[in-house]
């Protein structure tokens, strides 16, 4: 595990990442110098009916076995809910998004593979399934095997190396970051503390944190907090308005994390479509992927080093 | 006043003889003399951003675990770190834009870990009050001496940083013992923000000396509205406007307090920061508002109501 530091020292009480303020200049820009980058992540999950997470997490199958009702409600996220969201993105010129995919969902996605793995999209490994959480309950060898297996299956599905990871429910063990780095992953979407990409300290390996926070997700805001889809999505448009005019150095990134079993339902998809149209109509906004954010930060780091 | 010997051992308290005088204050009277704020203001409005440090692996507490997940609870720890990295800077921009100066609910550990964040508030002449040392270190289960040392040390660290004595306190993570208010009084604090039952300041019982309650207003706290109650930004804004407008109307006859407790890791998120801007704009649309700090509210109340009985 990364070191826990003495509480008397300045900075963090750990060495997982370093402090950075949102007021610091980015050192890079989006195409056409767009002010705002929308980093949209869609999480595709598999909920095994006979497994429970090691501890309670949002969205889990929580009723007694067999929780067929909840399980089938979640499966909407791999067919109709997902179809609606893919159609919405395609109808708007094929907006680039991140797909976080749990490996056990892959067999259900074969028909949609061309759309999901389209070149503009960024594919992230989402772990094994929604019930297999990473944590101290996993022996390190077992966790390493999970990571390795998922990496292979996702890369085969994508037809290209998959080097990004977002753990089921953002859960980690003390060894997760090191194991990810040792397995060749270069980006991790588990941290909820920044809208920008930033470097993580992972046993000397290069590993970037990318913004896929639970705090901005439909899972937290709609499923758990019971907000309406209209209010949830309209809030991002309102936020874009404030951020566009703010003093915060650009590009300002707005991450949005969605689950098709939530947003893809018939009563919510319209709000999602309206949000896409509202954000696109602004004229100062561009949809970006996690890979774009890392590339930008790397370019800025390289420029700074060359100065 | 009856003394209630709660089963404190069950609560993890190590001292079996501690008792809590409950309630902490005399019952309010409707015929009490109305408060008058400066310049005939109807509402004393103050903002309380919580500037906090959450430890990844805090010391264990006998009553409550800091994190719901096993260590490392990456999701919850990093979510709170958003406040110091991103949220607080957006909040400062909004405060500056509306000319707001308030009181910081400060974990003293921030003076050590991220002094550059605290310095932004001292540079703007905000009041700093004590919110414990770390938000992951609760008062639950502490002996009287331990608790008093924690609070005294936290107040001393904040005072050393700002160059001004600390005059008030909000218990860390809203955790208490039977001794908390006695300790506040013994340390000579002027006010507590831990009592959520009124929209005006009031004196605690004579046992607590000159300690007064200043309204912190949990109803408007962004954690309670947006996280605990799960409200959307639109509903939170509507709630704030209704709450403010009602107290502004009541304030025509007797001064009221509207306190706005905030957590930059919540209100600073992209989907919520515009709400803070709209709330402060709403306040500024009203003329008879005293934009002030918690200590000034306490001082004004004490000046009007005289010495403690």
């Amino acid at each position: 595990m990364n070191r826990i530091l003495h509480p008397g020292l300045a900075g963090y009480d750990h060495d997982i990442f370093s402090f950075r303020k949102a007021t610091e200049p980015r050192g890079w820009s989006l195409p056409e110098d767009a002010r705002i980058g929308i980093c949209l992540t869609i999480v595709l999950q598999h909920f095994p009916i006979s497994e429970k997470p090691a501890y309670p997490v949002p969205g889990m199958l929580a009723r007694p076995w067999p929780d067929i009702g909840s399980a089938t409600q979640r499966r909407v996220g791999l067919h109709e809910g997902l179809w609606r969201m893919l159609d919405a993105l395609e109808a708007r010129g094929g907006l680039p998004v991140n797909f976080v995919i749990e490996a056990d969902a892959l067999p259900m996605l074969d028909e949609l593979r061309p759309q999901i793995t389209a070149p503009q999209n960024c594919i992230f490994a989402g772990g094994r399934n929604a019930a297999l959480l990473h944590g101290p309950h996993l022996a390190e060898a077992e966790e390493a095997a999970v990571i390795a297996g998922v990496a292979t299956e996702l890369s085969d599905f994508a037809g290209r190396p998959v080097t990004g990871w977002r753990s089921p429910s953002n859960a980690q063990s003390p060894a997760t970051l090191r194991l990810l780095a040792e397995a060749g992953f270069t980006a991790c979407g588990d941290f909820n503390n920044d809208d920008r990409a930033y470097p993580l300290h992972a046993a000397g390996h290069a590993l970037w944190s990318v913004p896929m926070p639970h705090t901005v997700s439909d899972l937290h805001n709609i499923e758990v907090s019971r907000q309406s889809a209209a209010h949830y999505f309209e809030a991002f448009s309102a936020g874009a308005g404030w951020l566009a005019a703010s003093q915060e150095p650009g590009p300002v990134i707005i991450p949005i994390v969605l689950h098709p079993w939530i947003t893809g339902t018939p009563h919510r998809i319209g709000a999602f479509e309206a949000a896409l149209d509202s954000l696109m109509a602004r004229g100062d906004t561009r949809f970006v992927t996690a890979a774009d954010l890392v590339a930008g930060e790397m370019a800025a780091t390289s420029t700074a080093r060359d100065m | 006043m009856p003394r209630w010997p709660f089963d404190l051992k069950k609560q993890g308290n190590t001292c079996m003889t501690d008792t809590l005088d409950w309630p902490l204050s005399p019952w309010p009277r409707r015929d009490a003399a109305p408060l008058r704020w400066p310049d005939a203001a109807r509402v004393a409005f103050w903002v309380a951003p919580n500037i906090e440090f959450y430890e990844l692996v805090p010391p264990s507490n006998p009553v409550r675990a800091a994190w719901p997940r096993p260590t490392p609870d990456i999701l919850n720890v990093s979510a709170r770190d958003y406040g110091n990295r991103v949220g607080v800077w957006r909040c400062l921009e909004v405060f500056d834009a509306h000319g707001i100066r308030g009181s910081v609910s400060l974990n003293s550990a921030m003076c050590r870990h991220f002094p550059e964040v605290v310095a932004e508030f001292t540079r703007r002449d905000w009041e700093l009050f004590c919110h414990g040392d770390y938000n992951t270190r609760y008062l639950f289960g502490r002996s009287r001496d331990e608790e008093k040392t924690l609070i005294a040390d936290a107040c001393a660290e904040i005072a050393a940083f700002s160059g001004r004595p600390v005059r008030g306190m909000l218990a860390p993570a809203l955790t208490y013992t039977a001794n908390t208010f006695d300790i506040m009084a013994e340390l000579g604090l002027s006010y507590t923000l831990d009592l959520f039952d009124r929209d005006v300041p009031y004196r605690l019982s004579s046992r607590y000396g000159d300690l007064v309650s200043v309204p912190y207003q949990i109803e408007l706290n962004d954690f309670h509205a947006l996280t605990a109650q799960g409200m959307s930004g639109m509903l939170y804004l509507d709630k704030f406007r209704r709450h403010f407008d009602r107290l502004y109307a009541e304030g025509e006859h007797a001064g009221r307090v509207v306190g706005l407790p905030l957590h930059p890791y919540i209100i600073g998120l992209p989907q919520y920061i515009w709400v803070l801007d709209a709330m402060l704009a709403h306040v500024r649309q009203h003329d008879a508002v005293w934009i002030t700090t918690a200590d000034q509210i306490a001082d004004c109340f004490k000046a009007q109501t005289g010495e403690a009985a």
Side-chain angles (χ1 to χ4, degrees):
Chain A
M1 182 177 180
N2 296 72
R3 289 182 302 128
I4 300 302
L5 304 178
H6 191 279
L9 297 177
Y12 290 110
D13 59 334
H14 58 76
D15 64 353
I16 302 172
F17 43 78
S18 301
F19 185 64
R20 186 179 65 186
K21 302 182 293 191
T23 53
E24 295 174 21
R26 301 325 190 223
W28 62 282
S29 55
L30 290 171
E32 290 98 44
D33 207 21
R35 171 71 178 149
I36 295 177
I38 304 295
C39 188
L40 181 57
T41 296
I42 298 176
V43 184
L44 306 181
Q45 300 177 279
H46 174 71
F47 292 82
I49 203 165
S50 296
E51 294 169 37
K52 279 238 188 295
Y55 46 85
V57 291
M60 62 180 280
L61 303 189
R63 302 178 72 242
W65 184 91
D67 190 357
I68 292 171
S70 302
T72 49
Q73 186 191 30
R74 303 292 183 273
R75 286 173 77 93
V76 167
L78 297 179
H79 45 74
E80 269 131 357
L82 180 55
W83 300 343
R84 293 190 186 97
M85 294 185 72
L86 288 173
D87 288 347
L89 297 170
E90 200 164 299
R92 288 156 183 83
L95 295 174
V97 301
N98 309 304
F99 282 101
V100 172
I101 310 175
E102 294 173 357
D104 286 351
L106 292 175
M108 281 74 84
L109 298 173
D110 203 49
E111 183 186 4
L112 302 174
R113 184 196 299 231
Q115 284 178 280
I116 293 171
T117 63
Q120 72 270 20
N121 296 330
C122 189
I123 308 300
F124 266 54
R128 173 55 59 194
N129 61 56
L132 205 166
L133 303 181
H134 293 251
H137 58 280
L138 276 186
E140 190 169 307
E142 182 183 1
E143 185 176 11
V146 168
I147 291 172
V150 167
T152 299
E153 292 167 42
L154 264 290
S155 297
D156 287 346
F157 177 85
R160 53 187 187 263
V162 169
T163 57
W165 174 280
R166 184 180 189 262
S167 299
S169 296
N170 300 141
Q172 291 194 355
S173 79
T176 302
L177 281 182
R178 177 174 53 80
L179 293 174
L180 289 175
E182 290 172 351
F185 284 94
T186 58
C188 177
D190 289 338
F191 294 86
N192 289 245
N193 61 345
D194 211 317
D195 299 333
R196 300 164 54 189
Y198 64 86
L200 295 164
H201 307 311
H205 297 273
L207 191 63
W208 287 85
S209 173
V210 293
M212 299 175 172
H214 174 68
T215 49
V216 302
S217 70
D218 57 356
L219 178 59
H220 174 66
N221 292 281
I222 296 178
E223 178 68 14
V224 174
S225 300
R226 304 283 192 257
Q227 294 177 23
S228 72
H231 277 189
Y232 168 67
F233 284 110
E234 286 166 12
F236 287 109
S237 295
W242 188 89
L243 289 166
S246 79
Q247 297 169 17
E248 189 166 318
V252 181
I253 306 302
I254 299 179
I256 304 174
V257 177
L258 303 174
H259 301 70
W261 61 269
I262 301 171
T263 289
T265 53
H267 58 100
R268 296 194 184 110
I269 191 66
F272 173 60
E273 292 167 337
L276 292 178
D277 293 336
S278 170
L279 291 168
M280 292 174 70
R282 290 188 53 83
D284 58 359
T285 299
R286 190 179 178 95
F287 283 72
V288 295
T289 66
D292 295 330
L293 300 186
V294 172
E297 296 289 343
M298 288 179 69
T301 305
S302 172
T303 302
R305 203 181 313 120
D306 290 341
M307 290 175 67
Chain B
M1 185 72 66
R3 295 166 73 84
W4 297 69
F6 292 102
D7 188 347
L8 296 164
K9 187 172 183 189
K10 191 186 278 187
Q11 293 179 40
N13 197 305
T14 55
C15 180
M16 286 294 291
T17 61
D18 286 349
T19 56
L20 179 68
D21 255 344
W22 182 261
L24 299 172
S25 62
W27 194 255
R29 297 188 57 86
R30 295 199 72 177
D31 61 357
L35 290 173
R36 301 297 179 200
W37 299 130
D39 298 322
R42 297 184 178 198
V43 164
F45 176 74
W46 73 288
V47 179
N50 281 268
I51 305 303
E52 300 167 324
F53 192 95
Y54 291 83
E55 300 163 281
L56 180 63
V57 188
S60 64
N61 183 277
V63 176
R64 181 174 127 183
W67 301 117
R69 297 180 171 193
T71 299
D73 189 343
I74 293 299
L75 189 157
N76 287 295
V77 172
S78 65
R80 283 148 183 84
D81 184 46
Y82 186 90
N84 294 326
R85 293 175 76 95
V86 183
V88 68
W89 311 100
R90 292 176 180 165
C91 290
L92 284 165
E93 183 176 338
V94 176
F95 297 148
D96 290 347
H98 294 283
I100 298 294
R101 170 185 160 267
S103 302
V104 178
S105 176
L106 183 63
N107 287 162
S108 65
M110 284 294 292
C111 299
R112 232 175 305 137
H113 287 278
F114 296 118
E116 60 267 57
V117 174
V118 186
E120 291 294 330
F121 289 96
T122 55
R123 186 164 66 79
R124 290 167 169 81
D125 199 31
W126 283 56
E127 180 202 5
L128 309 181
F129 63 82
C130 179
H131 190 37
D133 54 1
Y134 291 86
N135 235 52
T136 38
R137 300 191 187 187
Y138 309 135
L139 299 184
F140 291 142
R142 293 184 189 271
S143 71
R144 198 182 206 286
D145 287 345
E146 286 172 1
E147 182 179 356
K148 188 168 183 177
T149 298
L150 185 154
I151 296 172
D153 287 351
C155 289
E157 184 164 23
I158 295 170
F161 189 93
S162 68
R164 296 177 185 172
V166 169
R167 305 195 56 219
M169 175 169 158
L170 174 73
L174 307 187
T175 61
Y176 316 98
T177 71
N179 304 306
T180 303
F181 297 93
D182 290 310
I183 291 170
M184 287 188 199
E186 288 168 14
L187 292 175
L189 293 177
S190 175
Y191 65 86
T192 172
L193 298 163
D194 289 290
L195 306 175
F196 308 138
D197 56 335
R198 303 204 64 197
D199 301 309
V200 293
Y202 61 86
R203 288 191 186 281
L204 275 66
S205 303
S206 58
R207 164 177 167 163
Y208 304 105
D210 202 33
L211 196 62
V212 303
S213 167
V214 171
Y216 174 73
Q217 278 165 342
I218 207 73
E219 292 289 335
L220 298 181
N221 186 313
D222 62 349
F223 177 88
H224 286 259
L226 299 172
T227 300
Q229 295 176 356
M231 301 181 91
S232 68
M234 289 74 173
L235 291 183
Y236 182 39
L237 175 60
D238 181 69
K239 178 182 186 179
F240 175 84
R241 286 173 173 160
R242 289 174 186 273
H243 191 106
F244 181 91
D245 290 351
R246 178 65 189 207
L247 293 181
Y248 190 81
E250 291 180 4
E252 183 179 6
H253 307 291
R256 295 286 188 260
V257 175
V258 175
L260 182 57
L262 301 167
H263 298 76
Y265 74 86
I266 302 171
I267 201 69
L269 286 166
Q271 69 264 38
Y272 294 136
I273 188 62
W274 63 274
V275 176
L276 178 59
D277 189 39
M279 288 195 286
L280 297 184
H282 186 77
V283 172
R284 282 301 194 186
Q285 287 167 5
H286 297 74
D287 293 329
V289 178
W290 178 34
I291 308 290
T292 187
T293 59
D295 62 342
Q296 289 180 328
I297 293 171
D299 289 345
C300 190
F301 169 78
K302 289 183 181 182
Q304 287 184 49
T305 57
E307 296 281 329

